[in-house]
Structure formats: C-alpha cells, structure tokens
Amino acid sequence: MKADRTPSATRRPHTLRGRLALMALATSALWMAVLTTVFNLALDQRLHEQAADVLRTRAEAVAATVDVRPDGRLVVHEPTEDSALDAGVWIFQGSRVIEKPPAAPAALDAQAQQLAGSREAFADARGPDPWRLYSFPLDSPAVPGHAPTQAGTVVSALSLDPYRNTAETALVGSIALAVLLLATFYLLTRLAVRRALRPVAAMSEQATRWSAAGAPERFGSEGRPTELAAFATSLDALLDRLAAVLRHEQQQAAELSHELRTPLSRITAETEWLTARPRSEQETADSLEAIADGAARMQQICDSLLSEVRTRNAQTPGRCRFPELGHHLARLSAAQDPGGAPEVTVVTDRTLADGTGPGIDIGVSQEVAERILIPLLDNARRYAARSITLGCTPRAGAVMVYVADDGPGVPEAFAASLFEPGHRAHPQDGHDGAGLGLALARRLARAAGGDITLNTAAPGARFEVTLPAG
C-alpha cells in the first residue's frame, strides 16, 4: 500500500509567525544571492585586473634590460638578480626565441610562440593549470624619415592558480557567511514576529475565556499598537452589537413568555371550569368564547413578535394608504368590542368637505402598519371615555399617524417607563395584558424605520407614530 504524499504546497507553515518568518527568509535569501553573486563577480574582475597589472609590469621591466640596435639586433643585459625576471618570461627576436624560462610547459611555450611579433595583447593558455600571457613589443630606434619597426617581443606569463584559489576561497566564504546571516536573520525574525504577535495571542486567549464565561469585558485600545488598537476597537464594536442582539433576543423571549402567560392562564382556567361539571349551553358558549378570545390574543401576540423579527431582519418593501387603513382598523376595533366600544373617528388633513380625499401613502405594508397601530387602539379603547381619533398627516419624507383618546391620559410619573415591557400605569384596572403591547408596537415601528412617541401636551393620551412615506 502506497503512503499518501503531501504536496509541497501543503507543507508550508500553518502559523502566521512561520509564514512571516519564511517570507522574510525568502526575501533575505534573494538579496543575499544577488549580493554574493555581485561580490564574487566584482572580485573575479579585480583579480583579473591585478594579474594583468603584474604581467604588464614584469614585461616592461624585462624590456628595460633589452637594447635594440639600429640593425635590429637585440642585446640583453643580465641584471645581478634576474631570477625574478626570468621566471615566466620569453624574449623573441622576430619569431626566434632568445631567452625563455627553464622547464616551461610545452603548451605554455607554444602559446608564447604564437604571441611572438604581436603588439600588446593578452592570451590564456589552455591546460590543466591556468596561465595568462602578455606580449610587449620591442621597437627599433626611430630613424628620421622612417617609422619605427618592431624588432622583438617580450612575453610574460603568470599562473592564475593563486587568483583562482583566492576567488574560490572568497566564494566559499561568502556563501558560508550568507548562510550564517540567513540563519541568524531567520531566528531573529521569528523572535521579533513572536514578540510582535504576543498581543494578538493575548487577545485570542481573552476571547476564549470570555466566550466560555460569557463575560462582558472588552479589549480596549489603550496600550496597544496602532494596528491592534484599531482591530480591538472593531472587535469591541462587534461584541457590543452581538451583545445587543443577544439581549434583544433574550428580552423578546422573556416578553413573549410573559405576555402569553395571561391568555394561556385564562384558557386553562376556562377549560378546567368547563370540564369540572356539566354546564348550561349559555355557560358553555361563554366559556368557549373566552377560550377563543384567549387563543386569538395569543395569535395576535405571536404575529406581532414575528412581524417585528421579519421587519428587522429584512426590510420588505410595502405600501398602504390612509384613510383606507384607518377605516379598516376602526372596523376591527368595533368588532372586538361591539357592545360599548368607543367610536373610532378617522381623520386626515387631506380629507375634503365631503369626506373624501386623495389619501396619504405610507411606506410600510398594511400588515406591519396594523401590528403597530392595533396595540395603540387597544390601549385607547381601554381608557377612552367616549371617542378615539385615528388620524394621519404628512411630514417631510415621513408620515405621522396618531391615535388619541379622551381618557384620563398617562400619569406623569409613568410617562418615562411607558414603553418598557411589563409596565402598566394601573395594574389593577381589570384589563387583560401584561404591559407588552406598547413595547412591541414601538419596537416594530423602529424596525420599520420609524418610531412611536407620547404627546404629553395633548389632552387625554395621544400616541404619534412616525413611519416612512410611501
């Protein structure tokens, strides 16, 4: 069975620290390779120039010991110590060799022979040992009216082994130095990156602890580098939004449970009362009507909450028109309490004398508008003395729908907590509900891009709903 082979691309470091260090190492290796290559090429060029200078100097020194007669003969004056000059030097008269170094290799001697009669020129001898040769011309004395002629040639040779050894040593040394520098740079880079990423690791550990304990702490930007400060600020804002969403969902669940408890208790009580012993037809009908009313109320509460969620998560476009919406809500209000419900009067500032008018477009669907206004009408129906007014007036880019009643109004001490869930101005007033309707209506209005406020200057209770224009 063949073992699985992991592609090289998947063997790259999995940590940010390793990737940053590897990227720095690759960049440094590229620069080290370029610098090492440039250095060695420059050194090789410099060594070749030094070898050429040595050859030229030696040839000129030997040429100074040679006299050229007018007849073209060469006379070599042997200095006292000429061993240094004789090493690797040929003297040619024409193509005939006058002096040459003892024990010269045949290939080198043949190369020097080829340079006989040449002007200044360099040549490299081929063979196992590298040599370089230089030819220097020996010109006859100048004769008036005649151009000087070349009577002979001095050829100097120099072994390139020392220069090659120097170049190879420099190459090996530069490569070793580059490797040592790269290893040191890699280790220092990893240490520097680890130190730089230490705050990130600390933030990660904090986030792990907070997520496990549900702690309300935040990262904060004090004492952090600029980049991490901005990152911490963004994370704190995200955590604040998540915490707000979580609180909203928890509050919504608590409100739903709290508000459903009242109709559910009524349904349970009516069911137990109905089944405890035989009842008359009227008692049974009244009990079933109470059960149906409780179920309808529970459905209304659930629909209101679900409408708020749908409106908040996806702003579904819609449109409805007033006063048609107002008349529809008035009929629903009358149907809920046909006996002694206060009459709902629908008005709008665009209504003509005959009661008709062009109407006002509201920028939400009729379902959403009903979910917002029904709790306000229920509240007005509880406390109105004789009449309820449902009106609408346009504003700049918005529409204001108000629900007003002629009741006692909202107590001043209770106005601040009017829209808080579970709060009621008169808990013992005999009306059903747990104080959730106004809170749900306001939440739904804000989710639709509007709001609900209480006009404390108006007589009775006047709730004003601001919604987008259609």
Side-chain angles (χ1 to χ4, degrees), residues 333 336-337 340-345 373-390 402-410 431 438 460-463:
S333 178
Q336 288 183 2
D337 192 1
E343 182 181 358
V344 178
T345 304
L373 295 173
I374 285 178
L376 302 181
L377 288 172
D378 291 342
N379 185 78
R381 192 171 64 250
R382 292 192 185 109
Y383 300 106
R386 290 179 298 276
S387 65
I388 300 173
T389 302
L390 177 60
Y402 61 89
V403 178
D405 62 69
D406 58 354
V410 179
H431 294 293
L438 295 181
R462 177 184 170 102
F463 291 91

Side-chain angles (χ1 to χ4, degrees), residues 25 144 173 216 340 401:
L25 178 65
V401 182

Side-chain angles (χ1 to χ4, degrees), residues 19-356:
R19 293 184 182 182
L20 290 176
L22 184 61
M23 183 181 300
L25 178 65
T27 304
S28 303
L30 178 61
W31 278 108
M32 286 292 182
V34 172
L35 293 177
T36 302
T37 302
V38 171
F39 168 76
N40 284 276
L41 290 177
L43 178 63
D44 186 69
Q45 180 67 24
R46 181 58 182 164
L47 292 176
H48 276 75
E49 292 177 357
Q50 289 183 356
D53 291 340
V54 171
L55 288 172
R56 188 180 292 108
T57 301
R58 183 180 296 178
E60 291 176 353
V62 172
T65 65
V66 179
D67 286 339
V68 181
R69 301 298 183 181
D71 58 358
R73 291 185 304 107
L74 302 180
V75 178
V76 180
H77 300 282
E78 298 291 343
T80 304
E81 296 291 340
D82 64 345
S83 58
L85 297 179
D86 289 341
V89 175
W90 288 259
I91 301 176
F92 294 93
Q93 183 173 359
S95 60
R96 182 173 62 86
V97 63
I98 297 177
E99 286 191 8
K100 69 175 183 177
L108 186 62
D109 190 69
Q111 186 68 39
Q113 187 69 37
Q114 293 179 3
L115 291 175
S118 302
R119 304 297 294 179
E120 294 188 43
F122 290 94
D124 293 324
R126 298 179 180 179
D129 298 325
W131 287 76
R132 196 165 197 197
L133 299 91
Y134 172 72
S135 62
F136 184 81
L138 297 173
D139 295 332
S140 61
V143 178
H146 294 83
T149 59
Q150 183 176 345
T153 308
V154 175
V155 178
S156 59
L158 180 66
S159 175
L160 297 180
D161 275 338
Y163 299 94
R164 184 177 64 178
N165 292 337
T166 301
E168 291 177 352
T169 302
L171 177 61
V172 174
S174 60
I175 292 177
L177 179 62
V179 172
L180 179 61
L181 289 176
L182 286 176
T184 304
F185 184 77
Y186 179 72
L187 293 177
L188 293 178
T189 302
R190 284 187 66 90
L191 292 176
V193 173
R194 176 185 297 177
R195 184 177 181 85
L197 294 180
R198 191 174 299 167
V200 179
M203 292 174 65
S204 178
E205 293 176 0
Q206 289 176 341
T208 302
R209 293 195 303 269
W210 295 347
S211 62
E217 289 87 356
R218 295 295 181 264
F219 294 105
S221 58
E222 295 183 0
R224 301 186 185 276
T226 304
E227 297 81 359
L228 289 183
F231 181 58
T233 302
S234 301
L235 285 180
D236 288 345
L238 177 60
L239 290 175
D240 290 338
R241 289 194 295 270
L242 291 177
V245 172
L246 181 60
R247 288 194 303 269
H248 176 84
E249 299 301 331
Q250 292 174 343
Q251 182 182 11
Q252 186 181 51
E255 292 169 357
L256 178 62
S257 174
H258 188 79
E259 182 69 6
L260 290 178
R261 188 176 295 115
T262 299
L264 184 60
S265 299
R266 184 177 180 183
I267 293 175
T268 303
E270 291 290 343
T271 303
E272 292 176 352
W273 182 84
L274 186 63
T275 58
R277 59 183 180 81
R279 304 293 178 180
S280 64
E281 293 184 2
Q282 184 60 40
E283 290 176 339
T284 302
D286 294 341
S287 181
L288 292 177
E289 183 179 356
I291 293 174
D293 182 69
R297 182 169 181 80
M298 292 177 63
Q299 182 179 1
Q300 177 184 348
I301 294 171
C302 293
D303 290 343
S304 298
L305 289 171
L306 293 177
S307 297
E308 187 270 336
V309 172
R310 287 194 298 268
T311 306
R312 171 166 46 88
N313 294 338
Q315 291 287 341
T316 305
R319 177 182 295 180
C320 61
R321 169 164 290 200
F322 202 92
E324 288 85 349
L325 173 65
H327 292 308
H328 175 69
L329 292 175
R331 289 192 295 270
L332 291 180
S333 178
Q336 288 183 2
D337 192 1
E343 182 181 358
V344 178
T345 304
V346 180
V347 297
T348 163
D349 64 352
R350 289 186 180 177
T351 304
L352 303 180
D354 59 357
T356 63

